[in-house]
Amino acid sequence: MFFHIVLERNMQLHPRYFGRNLRDNLVSKLMKDVEGTCSGRHGFVVAVTGIENIGKGIIRDGTGFVTFPVKYQCVVFRPFKGEILEAVVTMVNKMGFFAEAGPVQIFVSNHLIPDDMEFQTGDMPNYTTSDGSVKIQKDSEVRLKIIGTRVDATEIFCIGTIKDDFLGVINDPATV
Amino acid sequence: MSVVTDSPAHSSGSDDFISYLNDALDASSPDSSADEEAETQDEFEDVRNKRRKLESTEETEGSTSEGIMEHKLVVAESSVKVDVCTHPGSFGEMCIRCGQKLDGESGVTFGYIHKGLRLHDEEISRLRNTDMKKYLFSKKLYLVLDLDHTLLNTTILGHLSSEELHLLNETDSLEDVSKGSLFKLEHMHMMTKLRPFVRTFLKEASEMFEMYIYTMGDRPYALEMAKLLDPQGEYFNSKVISRDDGTQRHQKGLDIVLGQESAVLILDDTEHAWMKHKNNLILMERYHFFASSCRQFGFNCKSLAETKSDENETDGALAKILEMLKEVHCTFFDKLQGDLVDRDVRQVLSSVRGKILSGCVIIFSRINHGALPTLKRIAEQMGATCLMELDPTVTHVVATDAGTEKSRWAVKEKKFLVHPRWIEAANYFWQKQPEENFVVKKTTNPL
């Protein structure tokens, strides 16, 4: 799920950036620092959308660095248990398949793939139904349900399932 | 505040929803550090209790959106608990079947397939069994291949000897690796030479085997080499195992290979890396193309690169081994009786090996005491009979010196007198070698 929230961060700025462009420098450093990072609480920071407020800077003794408390708006992405996601398959093997939804890595084990789909080896390993009508392979797009999530400092891991109604392949690259 | 305005669940006060979100975030965000695991567990319980209380009060007051959502969440959680899961493995420390958080230390890591993937023994054996049936049906066995000195030879650019510098101008383009065999990997400061015949070898072997790469090199190196050997990714797709993935230091093990041990063959030049799987091992003659590699193993001769030569393409070690692999494969599937599942490739291997020197009766003379037991073991594995005393049935005398009593006896009785290398060569080539190539010279200083 995506959220638009306000977060706060203490930014340390080198004295060489002080001047007319202080604010711009602060914002670009903020974007560089936080976009693409993960926090266990909020998930993956997709983009900074605006600055709410920049507090008074505090000068650090000895270094001359200044710390500014910055409140900013950003879009975050965090998967939840029970959420339905669409993801792109990145790897298929006999254990199941791995898929990605942006920064989120999802594993769907073969226990959670419908029983009528069977693993086929070859240079393009895939899961196929016995009649061959549905095929999951690398680059397929699938709709899946999250049953477990774990957020690390830089990565989000999820366990997914497609063993439920209306889940599975939504777009097969082979047929396009 | 667009969380609130965008949210479909929003019906009552926005503060309620935010507090719900905060609760939910607290509850399901684990702390990544292990020592705080217990603490977060407690917190988790706390939050849930709080939520239950919240829920009951909310429900009496009338249904707010929060109440409904909480209810659903609790239901989802309890349904997972009812279904007793055996936790066949984990991904990012969550069970791959039920999504529950698990203790990260159990099971075997399969980092070479995907980061954070672990499987338990029962799941591994289940996968092996289902796999086995499929592969036996399509007449395939497993083959684990070593990289260095087996399929290729690599040197650091700085270690090239002065006589090898001509190679720098002879490297093949990295654009189309499938045609070349000598590559300079600038970013890794390395130069790699593929062993002659390796492309044909891989192509033909892939029809009989499901192939893995297993190297003592690190992961980036292993992947880079896999790219050179298999640019299309048709042979080693997520089956490249490096030392970072092994379960034991300085040892290679089949525990992380998803194949039944009775169907795996190993091709490697280092015997002691496979202590537990010697019966699966096919020992390779080392391929030394670069001088640095020769020196590393204590050879003082000129390297192949220095003499501008190379192993013979059609007659080299890989070609010989491929023939032998074909024989093993054919014996396993076509000649053995009984159920396919009960067959064991290790027995096939030892029986093929046992035919190499069958009928030879060997006696050793003046062999270094350190080397004798190994030579004797190798000779016996190849089906030869080793005697300690001279006997008219002896066919070969193995000696390092033509002047010994037994050597002179061999010459007089017109028996073969061969150098110990004759045995080693037979072992590498899986074929009895012509004895006249291994004549023993008389040492010049008579005793």
Side-chain angles (χ1 to χ4, degrees):
Chain A
M1 225 183 282
F2 289 96
F3 299 98
H4 194 194
I5 54 170
V6 176
L7 292 178
E8 198 172 344
R9 184 180 172 88
N10 285 328
M11 300 283 302
Q12 284 217 22
L13 206 63
H14 192 276
R16 70 165 170 266
Y17 297 114
F18 301 165
R20 263 193 313 192
N21 297 329
L22 190 139
R23 195 187 157 87
D24 289 349
N25 285 326
L26 206 57
V27 173
S28 59
K29 185 169 162 30
L30 175 77
M31 286 178 164
K32 217 173 98 192
D33 283 3
V34 298
E35 286 183 357
T37 60
C38 270
S39 82
R41 196 174 141 80
H42 301 102
F44 186 84
V45 179
V46 181
V48 175
T49 55
I51 304 292
E52 290 257 301
N53 167 38
I54 298 177
K56 275 189 181 145
I58 300 161
I59 303 174
R60 297 273 143 216
D61 287 344
T63 62
F65 274 85
V66 172
T67 310
F68 294 96
V70 181
K71 270 191 183 164
Y72 59 98
Q73 299 157 350
C74 61
V75 177
V76 293
F77 177 67
R78 191 185 191 290
F80 286 89
K81 210 190 244 185
E83 187 180 346
I84 308 290
L85 268 187
E86 284 166 16
V88 180
V89 175
T90 53
M91 186 200 293
V92 180
N93 57 40
K94 49 196 154 199
M95 264 85 60
F97 67 83
F98 292 90
E100 277 177 13
V104 183
Q105 312 213 37
I106 305 153
F107 177 58
V108 179
S109 88
N110 59 9
H111 298 278
L112 299 173
I113 295 172
D115 296 327
D116 64 330
M117 295 195 89
E118 215 172 282
F119 179 65
Q120 320 274 336
T121 46
D123 52 344
M124 202 64 170
N126 60 72
Y127 282 87
T128 314
T129 49
S130 49
D131 61 352
S133 61
V134 183
K135 189 186 255 187
I136 296 176
Q137 59 187 23
K138 191 173 186 288
D139 297 329
S140 295
E141 287 168 29
V142 290
R143 179 171 294 139
L144 44 83
K145 189 164 98 179
I146 304 293
I147 59 163
T149 66
R150 176 181 190 90
V151 184
D152 273 354
T154 53
E155 281 164 310
I156 307 180
F157 293 108
C158 287
I159 302 291
T161 175
I162 56 165
K163 212 175 189 175
D164 216 333
D165 293 344
F166 309 111
L167 299 179
V169 177
I170 48 176
N171 173 24
D172 186 358
T175 58
V176 174
Chain B
M1 287 299 124
S2 64
V3 165
V4 176
T5 45
D6 288 345
S7 165
H10 164 68
S11 61
S12 58
S14 57
D15 293 341
D16 282 354
F17 189 65
I18 289 172
S19 71
Y20 155 67
L21 274 179
N22 283 339
D23 269 5
L25 289 167
D26 278 339
S28 47
S29 67
D31 220 312
S32 45
S33 64
D35 31 295
E36 285 175 44
E37 200 90 288
E39 211 180 302
T40 40
Q41 273 292 317
D42 290 347
E43 260 179 51
F44 186 73
E45 287 300 323
D46 268 9
V47 171
R48 279 220 320 222
N49 288 338
K50 259 188 241 160
R51 258 197 272 158
R52 276 200 204 100
K53 272 183 214 151
L54 229 162
E55 191 191 334
S56 53
T57 52
E58 296 276 346
E59 262 170 4
T60 49
E61 282 172 22
S63 60
T64 61
S65 61
E66 191 186 66
I68 293 167
M69 285 192 66
E70 284 287 356
H71 193 68
K72 274 185 196 155
L73 240 165
V74 173
V75 168
E77 268 168 27
S78 59
S79 74
V80 169
K81 292 242 167 70
V82 171
D83 177 22
V84 181
C85 177
T86 51
H87 304 322
S90 65
F91 173 61
E93 293 172 24
M94 289 172 292
C95 170
I96 57 169
R97 194 164 162 200
C98 65
Q100 225 179 80
K101 300 245 156 61
L102 298 177
D103 170 26
E105 290 311 305
S106 55
V108 183
T109 44
F110 280 81
Y112 70 94
I113 296 175
H114 199 287
K115 194 184 162 210
L117 184 68
R118 279 168 176 273
L119 293 178
H120 283 251
D121 293 344
E122 301 94 72
E123 178 72 356
I124 295 173
S125 65
R126 189 187 72 88
L127 284 168
R128 279 183 181 158
N129 282 333
T130 50
D131 226 34
M132 182 84 169
K133 279 179 207 132
K134 209 178 303 160
Y135 282 121
L136 289 180
F137 184 72
S138 56
K139 288 203 171 181
K140 273 192 172 183
L141 296 169
Y142 300 88
L143 182 62
V144 177
L145 296 165
D146 175 51
L147 286 178
D148 288 297
H149 304 116
T150 302
L151 297 183
L152 47 82
N153 193 200
T154 299
T155 186
I156 293 171
L157 285 175
H159 289 176
L160 283 175
S161 73
S162 54
E163 287 163 88
E164 287 173 335
L165 291 176
H166 65 93
L167 294 174
L168 288 171
N169 305 320
E170 292 165 19
T171 50
D172 295 301
S173 134
L174 285 167
E175 308 259 301
D176 184 12
V177 286
S178 62
K179 292 210 177 69
S181 72
L182 183 67
F183 302 102
K184 186 164 81 167
L185 302 161
E186 203 74 70
H187 59 289
M188 301 179 96
H189 309 290
M190 280 176 178
M191 185 180 267
T192 295
K193 171 74 176 69
L194 304 186
R195 200 169 196 163
F197 197 69
V198 70
R199 300 219 185 266
T200 326
F201 176 85
L202 290 178
K203 188 164 178 289
E204 296 201 16
S206 71
E207 280 156 26
M208 302 181 284
F209 298 95
E210 170 90 354
M211 297 191 291
Y212 283 80
I213 284 180
Y214 200 142
T215 175
M216 279 299 187
D218 58 9
R219 168 157 289 277
Y221 171 73
L223 291 175
E224 202 63 40
M225 293 302 118
K227 246 188 263 167
L228 295 181
L229 290 168
D230 177 23
Q232 311 295 334
E234 45 197 333
Y235 310 136
F236 302 116
N237 181 19
S238 73
K239 285 179 293 186
V240 181
I241 308 173
S242 60
R243 71 159 172 237
D244 310 348
D245 307 305
T247 47
Q248 235 185 317
R249 241 165 193 280
H250 306 304
Q251 276 288 310
K252 295 181 178 180
L254 291 180
D255 47 353
I256 53 172
V257 173
L258 288 173
Q260 210 81 278
E261 277 175 34
S262 63
V264 181
L265 288 174
I266 303 162
L267 205 58
D268 203 325
D269 61 288
T270 317
E271 193 178 10
H272 57 75
W274 293 101
M275 280 324 229
K276 277 183 282 181
H277 307 284
K278 277 189 177 162
N279 295 333
N280 300 71
L281 178 68
I282 300 164
L283 201 62
M284 280 297 283
E285 188 192 14
R286 287 203 172 97
Y287 179 53
H288 297 293
F289 185 74
F290 298 108
S292 64
S293 151
C294 296
R295 263 179 276 136
Q296 190 188 339
F297 286 88
F299 296 117
N300 269 327
C301 54
K302 293 241 171 203
S303 71
L304 290 169
E306 281 169 336
T307 57
K308 299 195 182 180
S309 61
D310 205 345
E311 257 184 30
N312 191 327
E313 171 102 27
T314 51
D315 206 23
L318 280 176
K320 291 271 166 53
I321 293 293
L322 182 64
E323 266 169 47
M324 192 278 293
L325 287 176
K326 279 182 184 160
E327 189 186 338
V328 171
H329 185 267
C330 165
T331 314
F332 187 91
F333 284 103
D334 301 334
K335 296 201 183 134
L336 281 192
Q337 303 294 316
D339 200 358
L340 268 180
V341 183
D342 299 331
R343 297 181 191 178
D344 193 330
V345 79
R346 288 169 287 197
Q347 281 162 15
V348 178
L349 196 64
S350 75
S351 80
V352 170
R353 187 181 274 144
K355 278 187 221 150
I356 303 171
L357 290 186
S358 70
C360 296
V361 181
I362 294 175
I363 191 160
F364 294 98
S365 169
R366 197 170 290 177
I367 306 280
N368 185 332
H369 278 293
L372 187 61
T374 332
L375 271 179
K376 201 168 161 213
R377 181 174 52 86
I378 295 175
E380 277 170 352
Q381 277 173 354
M382 290 190 289
T385 320
C386 295
L387 295 182
M388 294 312 286
E389 294 296 321
L390 274 178
D391 186 302
T393 59
V394 168
T395 57
H396 292 75
V397 175
V398 177
T400 50
D401 183 355
T404 67
E405 193 184 327
K406 285 173 192 159
S407 305
R408 287 201 301 269
W409 174 86
V411 175
K412 202 178 84 193
E413 299 285 319
K414 297 210 162 32
K415 309 284 186 187
F416 289 113
L417 175 61
V418 288
H419 195 271
R421 276 202 288 268
W422 175 73
I423 293 176
E424 286 165 14
N427 189 36
Y428 282 132
F429 288 112
W430 291 75
Q431 230 169 30
K432 193 163 129 186
Q433 299 296 304
E435 286 84 355
E436 53 274 20
N437 296 350
F438 297 88
V439 182
V440 185
K441 292 192 187 79
K442 237 187 192 127
T443 41
T444 40
N445 53 332
L447 289 172

